[in-house]
Structure formats: structure tokens, C-alpha cells
Amino acid sequence: MSPAAALRRVERAVLVAGLVALALLPLVDALGRPAGLFVPGGAAWVQQLTLWLAFVGGLAAAGEGKHLTLSTAELFGPRLRRAGHVLAAAVSAATVATMTYASLRLLAVQRAEGKVLAGGIPEWASEAIMPVALGLMALRFAWGAGAEWRPRLVALAAIPLAFALGATASGLLDQGSAAWLVALILAALVLGTPVFVGMAALALLFFLKDGAALGDDPGTSVSAVLAEVFRLISSPTLPAIPLLTGCGYVLAESGASARLLRFFRALLGFLPGGLAVIVIAVCALFTTFTGGSGVTIIALGGLVYPMLRADGYPEGFSLGLVTAAGSLGLLFPPSLPVILYSVVAGTREQNVPADGLYLAGLLPGALMIAMVAAYAIRVGARVQTRRQAFSWAELGRATWESKWELSLPPLVVGLFASGWLSMVETAAAALAYAIAIECFFTRDLHPLRSLPAALVKSSVLTGSVLILLSAAMGITSYIVDAQIPEQLVAWVRTHIHSPILFLLALNALLIVVGCLVDIFSAIVVLAPLIAPMGAAFGVDPVHQGVIFLANLELGFLTPPVGLNLYLSSSRFGKPLTEVTRHALPFLLIMAAGVLVITYIPGLSVGVLRALGR
Amino acid sequence: KMATLVPDGSSWHLILKETADQWNKLSGGRVTVRLFAGGVAGDDPDVVRKMRLGTLQAGLLTSVGVAEVDKSVYALGIPLMFRSYEEVYHVLERMRPRLEASLEAKGFVVLNWADGGWVHFFAQKPVATPDDLRALKLFTWAGDPKSVEVWRSAGFNPVPLPATEISTALQTGLVNALGCPPQVAVISQYYNHARNMTDLPWQLLLGATLINKATWERIPAEVRPALLESARSAGARLQAEIRKSGARDVEAMRKRGLNVVPLDDRTRALWQQTAESLYPRVRGAIVPADAFDEAQRLRDEYRKQAGASATQSAP
Ligand code: NA
Ligand code: NA
């Protein structure tokens, strides 16, 4: 077996074992709780497993070409494309090699900290997977520069070049040369460098440039990006992403789609657009629980997209719907962003209670969903999706056939809402249940022959998504570090003096920030700055909170950097340009919804007043 | 660059901003402090990691953050070891030289000490005795498996969770009790879902401002004393602010429906017994044994002095 093939086998084994262990640990805790049993130090191991899944999955994605790219390279002729491919590979190799170096700095710090995992293994030893996987990934990118040695060596040579440049950064990185490097990175992105590499490269460059101005050591500057990657991946609720994605894949790889489709047809097949409305409702419910981190698309997309297509919805519409539906539902309980907003925006003088925000968000949230649903029904009627007459007998048969899959959502929601399980435990239970039903009840998947392949596929996607998210966090942290949101707010404060203009500026500001920055950072950074401004213009604080959150939903869909566009493009293997085009009608509808919510405060605070609050 | 969990716009944040401006003036513009409040730079362990990496230079940390560097700081947070601010700060004053030297040896200079107020139990049912609490599901931080074991050993029912899940867990009933200072209960609105506060100051949530030693030494030596003085006075103002706001916060919550559960001497003694039964497991596993013993010795010394002066002035 060649070393490359051996590496692939090891990767697959790690991904399957890692995901299974990640599901088992929280389940043991959950099942043992009534008896007072738990895995000592289990939480730390869950974090380590997530770190392994992210980096090994990212490495595997590099091997399979599964990292998201802009796919604009096809626009060029064959010769230019070949040369461009070498450039893209060189930039990828150099960037990932720099990340490898930064991760070694991080590892040294973790080692000095000297924490030990349950079982006696030092934390840093497990975290060594970061430099190992990143280093192999850099080599893989260089190797992929071409089929011969010459392009490969050219790409490899970019690594020492980048290090030399980084080491002398203070001398070289003035405004002009930084602009050239930004241009080079953007060119590489257009020519096929993965998006996560482009984001990481920009973050590394910006931190280097700012660090050089302050006289910082360049090694320190670049490690800022890795510190952010590490922070994201070790955040306590993140393990839910690989688990829920795994659950979605297991269902998608089995016959669940077909059974569920039959059930929904039997239930709503007499209505035009019935299935699309169901998809919207299910996605919104899911987002409510996962907090709008884009998990909905990767976990549910693979399941519902084929159903929409089979029902006769156009490809573009289906793609757009799945992309957009992933950000609906943010305003309903128990969505975490609402709680976070209430915590961050509330002050001693002005309380913004979370339950008030949930109540005030009911109608606006429902309005956004209704507007998207109305559009879906119109499309459904126009393209004549499959309709069938309603029949109790068929509904009964279809329900019986899909009883296992149908029992999953109430089971999972019930376990969580009744206080039996935590968020991560619920995700673990969902994966375990999906595996159990598809392997042992419906027997669609063979536990040894087909299940591992499904788990590997899901972990490769999770790896590429987590690496993408963490690279985006790198940029976010630069934006926060450079205090850019504060500058935007200062501009608004000096230039805007009427409440109507203020609200309009607020809409625009939040869309820009919402698509640049993840939702949690956007709330933490912007809410405390904006809350007092709104109060000065006489905007109700709860109304402003609803505007704030509804606006951030739009940011997920706004080109060129809305996160859901990227996640959707990754999940369905469709070019980003195409996803953006198909999401546009939904973006416009939701934008109209946000304007209505903004200028009719009665929709949000009216409910509160009606309840006497 | 200095980070903290203190919320943006809070009165503590204002004190930090004033101090930042002062530092700029005192150093003749050579030191500029960029503040990152509200946890934007991460939780305490993230901030300490970034300080070690050098991407942040300073942080106002809780004892959880300081303990990432030296666990001895937990000696000041032993449950029911101290009865008052005076006791804690008396012991801290005596332990400071050793603590600060140990932190400095690990690359951090202490600029000031402050606290976040006394941790109280907030629960969905009134908790008067330890047995009342044993019947509930108590939030414990998942990052700290040792304290989970300590709670469990005393017959409590700890549920280890990430701090980010507290709100949701209180709503679903996964946990129905937690310990936190009144200030945190107000800001995070935990009291909305745990409407009974036990009138028992369980432990003080200590904090400190640390700065990277290398950064500190890059500041011209002649400027440092003035900066340190300014930071110390900010620490004193932070302490004063939290003492003032403690009672105010409880009052505000009471107006919005918080039930404060009073304790009589007998139940107080029960709690004291329970806490002391935990000490053998806390000592060594959570608080280094030498720090534990020193804190206890200094506390006893303080009580003896206070008792002596009380009898002297009493005749
Ligand atoms: Na949530
Ligand atoms: Na976003």
C-alpha cells in the first residue's frame, strides 16, 4: 500500500471511531445521570474529539478536493487555468504551512499549561493533531499543484517564501505591499484556492500588518488566528455540529427521504407547495434549537433537497429554499441568540428581558416564515408540483412506513425540552437513534458495510465546514480587534439625526456586519453600542432587539460573504455564484419582511402591550 | 490589548475605561490600552491562553482565569471559610506577596485585585437547608470535573454543563439550582428561572487584573509606579462599586419577584458543617494543600485578633 493510500485509511478509521466515541461519551453521561454515574473529565474528551474530527476531517477534505472553492477557475482558458492552478496551490500550501507554524506556537503554550486529560494523557499530546494535520494538509496542497514534479516543487517553494516574508514583515508590510498581497490572495481565490485558505490568509496578513505597526513579533501575530480557531473548536456546544450532521447523513444515505416524502405527499400533497411549506417549518424549528449557526443546512439539507426535487420543484428554487430556510426561526424560543442579545444589550437602567424578546419576536418571526411560505406556494402552483388527492388510507400506510423516522423529532425535542438531556447529549442521542433505526429497524444501512462510509462522508463535510467557520472566526476576530464596528457606529452617530434614517442605517449596518461576522460576535460587539443609540432616538429596546436579530438573519444570505451561501455551496457541491443567484429571491422577500418589522413596531411590541407588559 | 468578561457599558467597564485613559496620560501617550469587554475575546481560559501567546497583553480575570496560572488563588474562594469581605481581604493581603511572586514567575504581573461579589444559591424551589439543595439538580461547570466529584461525594446532585447552557438548562429543567453572585444573576437574568435566593454568602468570587510580564517590562521603568498606583486605585473603586451594588441588585430582583430565603442560626450551622465536611476533598484536589492551610491559619489569626480587640474594647 502506498503511503498516501495508508494515510487515507488511517483518516477514515479516525473519523469513524472519533464520531462514534463523540456520540457515546455524552450518552453515557445522560443515561448514568439518574444513577449518579458520569464519565470523569468526559467534557474535556468531547472537546478533544471535536478537535480531531475538525482537523482530520479537514485533512481528508483536502485529499478529496472537498474544501469549498469559488469555482470561478472554469472561466479561464486551459493554459491560464493550469498556471492559475499552480498559483492557487502555492498560496494554499504557504498559508496552511504558516497555520502549522502558528499551531506549534499554540501547542507550546498548551504544553506549558500542563493540563492532563482523564486517563493521564496530557492535553497537548492530543492537541498535537493540529500541527500534524495542518502540516500534512500543506503538503497535500503542494502535491496537488500538478501531475509532475515541477509544479509541485514550485508550490512547495512558496512555503519558505511565505515564512521569509512573515519573518521580515515589519520591514515589508507597509500599506502598498499589503495591498499587493491582498490582491494576490484574492487572485488565488478566483483561481481555485479553497475559501477557508483565502480567509485564513487574509486574517494572517491583517494581524501581521497590525502587529508590525505595534512592533510585535510576527510569530505572535500569526498565532492570533490559530488561537481563534482553537477557541471556536473547543467551545462547549460545538460538538453538536458533527453529531447532527452525522444524523442528517445517516438519514440521507438510507431510504428515509423516500419514506418521508411519501408521508408528506399523503399529508399535504393536495396543496400546491405543501412540501415546500413543510420544509420551511422543519428548518425553522431546527434553527430555533441550533441557534442559527448554519447547522440546519448541513444537517437537514441532504435530506430535504432530494425530496423537493423529486416532488418537481425546480433545482434553483429548491437550492434557494434550503439555503434561506436555514436562517428562519432565530426569533423563537429557545434560540440562544435571543438570550445572548438580552444579556448583552440589557443594562442596569434598561432591561431587555429574554422572555419579552421571545414574545415580541413571535409575530415578526411568523411573518418572515409566512412570506417565504407564500412565495413557495406560488412557485409550487406555477410549476405544477406533483399533486395527489388526499386519502386516509394512503396517509395511514405512509405514516406506518416512516414511523421510525417520524418518531425521531418528537423523541429528540421531548428529551431536550423535558430537561432530560443537554444540547450536546440531545445531538448525540439523535445520531445514535438514527443509526439504530436505519441499521437495525429499517435495515437500509449495513452497520459494517455502508454505515462507516456514511459517517466518513459526514465527517469530511464537518471537517471542511468547521475549518471554514474557524477561518471566518479568524477574520471576525481581526474585525473586532481593529474595532471596525465601533468606527461604523461612530459614523452613524455623527451623520444621522432622524429616527427613521437611524432605523434605515441600522438595517444597513446590521446586514453588512451580519454577513461579515458570525451572529454571536455580532451580538456581543454591536448590541451594547447600538442599544443606547436606539434609546436616544426613542426606539423601544425590545423592538430594537427584534430588528437586530431579524436583520442578522439576512446577513447569513447576503453576498459575497453570507455564511449560509458558503455552507449550502459546500453541502450540495454547487458553485457559490449559482447558490447566491438562487437565494436572491428569498433574500429580497426576507428583506421586505425586515423592513415591515422595522417600521411597524406594533408587530413586535404590540404583543407585549396586549399582554399588559 | 486588555480583555474581560465585564459587560460593555457596566459601571465596572466605565472604571476600566477611565483607568485606560489615565494610563495613556500618565505615560505621556506611550501606553495605549484597547479594551475588549463583554467576553468578545473569549472566556477566561481563552484570555489567559491569548496572553501566553502574546496576542493579548492584559486581562481582568475571575479566579477561574487566575487559577489557569496558579490554583492557589482558589484558597480565597473556599466555601464558607470566610464570613466577610474584611476576612477575605485580610487573608489576601497576607497571601499576596507569595501569590504575586508565583504569578510573576509564570510570566504575569498582578495590577490589582477585585471581586465579583458573594456567590449565593439561586434555585427554583426555596433552599433553606443543605438537604433542600441535595434534592435539586445543581449546575456545575463542565470544565471542572474535580468539583463535580466533590459535590457528588457530599450527596449533592451536580449536573456538569458548559456555562453557555445555563439559561436553556434552567428553562428545560435540566438544572434547577446554581450558585452565582447577585450581580451575575441580574445581568444574565438567571433569577427569572430560579426565583429563590438563599441568604448565605457561600464564597467570594475573587478576580484580578493581570498583565503579561514582558509587556509590563517594555513600559519605561519610571512610568510603572504611577501606572500601578492608578491600577490599584481602580481596583479599590471596583471593590467599592461591587459592595454597593450587591445589596442594590438583590433589592432590584426582589422587586421583580425574587424570594430571599432567610436562614436561622441552626441552618447556618448545618451549612457550615456541610461545607467543612467537603474541606478534606477540596484541599489538595482543588486548592493546593499549602495554600489551603495558609488561608485557614490566616483566617483564624484574623478572628483571634478581631475577637481580642472586641473583648478589649468591651469591658
Ligand atoms: Na439554541
Ligand atoms: Na454571518
Side-chain angles (χ1 to χ4, degrees), chain A residues 33 36 38 40-41 43 106 109-110 113 115 220 223-224 227-228 230-231 236-237 339 342 348 351-354 416-420 422-423 480-481 483 524-525 528, chain B residues 1 8 34-36 38-42 46 49-50 52-55 68 137 142 145 148-149 152 159 161-162 165 167-168 171-172 174 187-189 218 248-249 256:
Chain A
R33 189 171 302 127
F38 70 114
L106 183 65
V109 160
Q110 293 296 98
E113 218 164 89
K115 283 192 190 155
T220 303
S223 58
E228 225 42 58
F230 188 77
R231 175 181 154 201
T237 37
I339 297 176
S342 132
R348 218 172 269 289
N351 200 9
V352 192
F416 178 75
S418 64
W420 274 63
S422 73
M423 199 89 79
V480 170
D481 198 272
Q483 301 185 315
V524 171
V525 173
Chain B
K1 291 178 195 166
D8 201 325
R34 261 199 250 168
L35 266 180
F36 298 96
V40 271
D46 297 308
R49 185 180 313 118
K50 288 179 176 182
R52 284 193 164 120
L53 273 172
T55 59
E68 289 277 314
K137 292 183 272 181
V148 179
E149 279 159 48
R152 191 152 294 168
V159 179
L161 283 179
E165 277 202 43
S167 259
T168 335
Q171 288 181 60
T172 63
L174 180 62
I187 293 171
S188 319
Q189 297 165 29
R218 244 165 61 188
R248 206 169 56 199
D249 286 324
R256 292 188 207 131

Side-chain angles (χ1 to χ4, degrees), chain A residues 288-291 334-336 423:
Chain A
T288 295
F289 283 99
T290 56
S335 154
L336 200 57
M423 199 89 79

Side-chain angles (χ1 to χ4, degrees), chain A residues 198-213:
Chain A
M199 287 187 178
L202 288 174
L204 289 168
L205 178 65
F206 291 151
F207 271 112
L208 262 176
K209 187 173 152 292
D210 274 17

